Amino acid sequence: MSDGTGKHSPVEKFFRMCLLVFGGIVLLQLSLQMLAEMWPWLVGIAVIVGVVAGLLWWLRSRRQW
């Protein structure tokens, strides 16, 4: 183990790197799972916003004529 001087053994470095990789994989899996559950809502909201923006653009372009 570390004696507080900031120097770590190769085993500690390897173990810490494995924990960081494992944590990254777990967080990535959780975020992909949440995205898969919210995907229909996100697409629906994007379509609604696109339709509203297109309608506003069309109305503004007609007003100028």
Side-chain angles (χ1 to χ4, degrees), residues 30-44:
L30 288 173
S31 64
L32 288 175
Q33 184 178 0
M34 287 177 59
L35 182 62
E37 291 175 3
M38 295 186 312
W39 185 249
W41 287 100
L42 293 175
V43 171

Side-chain angles (χ1 to χ4, degrees), residues 1-20:
M1 290 303 246
S2 174
D3 58 357
T5 61
K7 295 184 179 182
H8 300 283
S9 70
V11 174
E12 285 179 288
K13 289 180 184 179
F14 177 75
F15 183 68
R16 183 172 293 169
M17 187 63 66
C18 288
L19 283 177
L20 288 174

